[in-house]
Amino acid sequence: MKKVNLNKLKYKFNRINSDPLLEILLVLIFAVTTNTVIYLNLVLHSILAISAIAALFFIFADYSNGLVLMVFLIPLDSASVIIPGLTLTKVIGIVTVISFLISNIKHGIKLPDISLTAFLLYAAASIAWSIDIKESFNRITNLANYYVMVIMIINSVNPITSINSIASINSISTNKNLIKYMNAYLCGSIVVSCLGIYNFITSGGSQRVAAFYGENMNFYGLTIGIAIILSLYLFKNYVNSGNKILKGIYLAACLVLILGQLVSLSRTAWVATCISSFVFFTSSKFNIKRVIISIITLVVIVSVPLLILKRIVPVSTDLFLNRFTTIFTLSDNAAGRLDIWKVAFNIFKDYLFFGVGISNFPAAFTYGYIMNSSAPLDVGLNSDPHNLYISISVELGITGMLIFLFTIYNIFRNIFSLKENGYKEFCMVLMLFLLVAGLTSTILYKKYFWYVLSLVYAIINQINESEKAKGKY
């Protein structure tokens, strides 16, 4: 019987963990398998469950592998339900948390900024005075799970202690776990983009679509928007690396993602992505020439996917232009949002300091809607606030809003204190995307919101800890 060379196996396993191209290919295999299963309408849940069981060994060997799978499934959240109340992400998450605790319990666990923890604790306390206690409890449970994900990602991105690595801290090769999480999210987003494009083609190009039936088109578009920023960042970082394959992969990914976001016809996603991308292109050296070049670049990278789409399906350009022009005219009353916000303002005045309780805006809106005779009849009951800031203000009052704003202030203060410009721009653009998207969407309860926070916190922590290590040499 041939003896297994364990050192050779370990070398191959470590190579997979360290080579970004291999990581992309492996996750893409999982992505293509998932995509094919969805198209063929086979037993998706069973195959994904088997895949999760097969991944247990890799998760226990290194909990960052579990985080990679969890991040990959964030865009695919609507398709990862195994049974009601249990998703594949939760199953992988439980195993990942166990592996994380085994690996870190003796060494100590780093937490994110204390203000974020305070915000969640205050949100949990609001259960005591919430209108619908069950809804608040369920929401806090979900937020706690997202918070644990943030903690695990922060702790998996270790500070760079090698003097050679410190000298090139912004080098893409010195941040392998970060790159794994970015690649995983990119691959998941490519899957949903392809599904969205397919749905748009099969609909004859006559309506806005998402990847899955019943999925909110705005949230689908925002999910892809984050991936577009990641693809631009990774492409930029590999421009001077000489790796033409990776540059081509990230450029192609960006075009597919833009096309997937276009068919969502989500004005929120379009605006957030365009503003963030513009800042990404201009932030390093702001001048008129760079602004003009950035505008032309944005027009080109949006036009190319649109032209490709027109070649595939006979879609009218008016479908996109009409949607785009309403961003400035608000001819549809911001899709009813302005009417919702009028009612929300009255609720806010009644629950000024402490709010109606976390995730209780819909219940409070129904009461406020009935009491407000001037509200239009077509707004409906149990409405979503469609605004991050209004949602927090109504649900947690002035107190909760101040804690949230202080959390955002602390994040930006830490970003601007970073000495590494490349990461400073990247973190700033990611946060800007969330803040702009929050103007017309309630993104606090979405996994991608917490995924972005985890990346930003991890980068801040890594650079700060690395700077401390640098001082020892």
Side-chain angles (χ1 to χ4, degrees):
M1 186 175 178
K2 189 176 180 180
K3 188 176 179 180
V4 178
N5 191 329
L6 294 178
N7 289 329
K8 189 175 182 180
L9 285 175
K10 185 176 181 181
Y11 168 77
K12 290 182 177 179
F13 179 75
N14 288 334
R15 175 161 172 73
I16 290 173
N17 271 347
S18 62
D19 192 319
L21 182 55
L22 285 177
E23 289 165 12
I24 293 172
L25 292 176
L26 285 175
V27 181
L28 272 177
I29 290 172
F30 188 30
V32 171
T33 303
T34 306
N35 208 5
T36 305
V37 169
I38 293 171
Y39 277 133
L40 298 179
N41 197 26
L42 299 177
V43 190
L44 172 63
H45 301 154
S46 300
I47 292 179
L48 291 180
I50 293 172
S51 301
I53 294 172
L56 292 182
F57 169 77
F58 292 97
I59 296 174
F60 274 114
D62 184 350
Y63 71 89
S64 69
N65 293 320
L67 287 170
V68 167
L69 290 177
M70 290 172 64
V71 170
F72 169 77
L73 288 169
I74 289 176
L76 291 156
D77 199 42
S78 299
S80 66
V81 179
I82 301 174
I83 58 175
L86 181 64
T87 64
L88 182 58
T89 308
K90 285 185 179 179
V91 174
I92 296 174
I94 292 171
V95 180
T96 304
V97 168
I98 295 172
S99 176
F100 167 74
L101 292 174
I102 293 173
S103 302
N104 290 273
I105 197 69
K106 292 181 179 180
H107 308 291
I109 297 174
K110 296 187 287 286
L111 298 177
D113 193 279
I114 188 65
S115 57
L116 180 65
T117 306
F119 176 74
L120 287 178
L121 289 175
Y122 178 76
S126 73
I127 296 176
W129 60 82
S130 62
I131 298 173
D132 186 341
I133 294 178
K134 183 179 179 181
E135 172 63 25
S136 291
F137 181 80
N138 290 337
R139 184 64 73 186
I140 282 297
T141 302
N142 289 334
L143 292 179
N145 291 333
Y146 303 159
Y147 182 70
V148 171
M149 179 187 73
V150 173
I151 292 174
M152 289 193 293
I153 289 179
I154 290 174
N155 284 268
S156 70
V157 181
N158 296 318
I160 303 166
T161 55
S162 165
I163 189 167
N164 294 325
S165 296
I166 289 173
S168 58
I169 189 173
N170 197 38
S171 171
I172 209 78
S173 62
T174 61
N175 304 282
K176 294 181 175 61
N177 278 349
L178 273 176
I179 303 307
K180 285 200 294 187
Y181 304 145
M182 293 181 196
N183 286 334
Y185 188 90
L186 266 178
C187 291
S189 298
I190 289 171
V191 172
V192 296
S193 290
C194 291
L195 288 172
I197 296 167
Y198 174 79
N199 291 337
F200 188 76
I201 294 172
T202 55
S203 72
S206 59
Q207 60 186 22
R208 57 190 307 213
V209 297
F212 305 104
Y213 177 77
E215 185 178 11
N216 184 289
M217 277 76 80
N218 289 327
F219 293 139
Y220 159 75
L222 290 171
T223 299
I224 296 175
I226 294 169
I228 291 173
I229 295 173
L230 295 181
S231 65
L232 290 174
Y233 171 76
L234 290 169
F235 174 78
K236 180 181 178 182
N237 274 274
Y238 278 107
V239 163
N240 298 320
S241 69
N243 194 327
K244 295 181 180 180
I245 297 177
L246 278 175
K247 286 191 292 184
I249 288 175
Y250 289 127
L251 182 59
C254 185
L255 295 177
V256 171
L257 292 165
I258 291 172
L259 189 54
Q261 190 186 71
L262 281 173
V263 300
S264 72
L265 294 175
S266 169
R267 294 169 298 189
T268 299
W270 291 354
V271 171
T273 304
C274 285
I275 291 177
S276 302
S277 300
F278 178 78
V279 172
F280 177 77
F281 286 126
T282 60
S283 57
S284 60
K285 187 177 180 182
F286 190 87
N287 55 53
I288 297 298
K289 181 179 178 180
R290 194 174 185 85
V291 169
I292 295 173
I293 293 175
S294 299
I295 293 174
I296 294 173
T297 303
L298 285 174
V299 171
V300 170
I301 62 177
V302 171
S303 299
V304 170
L306 190 57
L307 291 173
I308 294 173
L309 185 64
K310 284 179 68 64
R311 297 282 294 180
I312 299 173
V313 59
V315 59
S316 172
T317 310
D318 292 339
L319 179 67
F320 297 96
L321 290 178
N322 291 339
R323 188 73 177 168
F324 179 75
T325 54
T326 56
I327 295 174
F328 308 100
T329 62
L330 295 178
S331 57
D332 60 348
N333 203 19
R337 287 175 173 83
L338 297 181
D339 295 322
I340 294 172
W341 296 341
K342 290 175 184 176
V343 178
F345 180 69
N346 292 328
I347 302 172
F348 174 68
K349 290 190 296 182
D350 293 337
Y351 297 86
L352 187 62
F353 292 104
F354 302 108
V356 298
I358 190 71
S359 195
N360 270 211
F361 182 95
F365 179 84
T366 299
Y367 171 77
Y369 174 78
I370 294 172
M371 296 302 293
N372 184 5
S373 58
S374 63
L377 296 176
D378 60 347
V379 171
L381 304 178
N382 296 310
S383 179
D384 182 88
H386 296 286
N387 185 294
L388 170 66
Y389 312 101
I390 291 177
S391 171
I392 295 174
S393 298
V394 171
E395 294 178 357
L396 300 177
I398 289 178
T399 306
M401 190 62 193
L402 288 175
I403 298 175
F404 176 78
L405 291 176
F406 185 66
T407 301
I408 298 300
Y409 164 76
N410 271 341
I411 292 174
F412 274 99
R413 180 174 58 83
N414 287 321
I415 290 174
F416 287 120
S417 68
L418 296 178
K419 295 181 179 179
E420 213 26 77
N421 288 331
Y423 274 140
K424 181 185 293 187
E425 295 166 5
F426 179 55
C427 291
M428 181 178 65
V429 168
L430 283 176
M431 289 303 300
L432 179 63
F433 179 91
L434 292 184
L435 295 180
V436 174
L439 292 172
T440 50
S441 287
T442 313
I443 58 175
L444 178 65
Y445 306 133
K446 297 299 174 182
K447 289 179 183 177
Y448 56 75
F449 177 88
W450 295 87
Y451 166 71
V452 169
L453 287 187
S454 67
L455 286 183
V456 173
Y457 276 122
I459 289 170
I460 291 171
N461 179 75
Q462 186 197 43
I463 292 180
N464 288 339
E465 292 296 321
S466 300
E467 288 293 334
K468 291 179 182 177
K470 185 177 179 180
K472 296 179 181 180
Y473 288 94

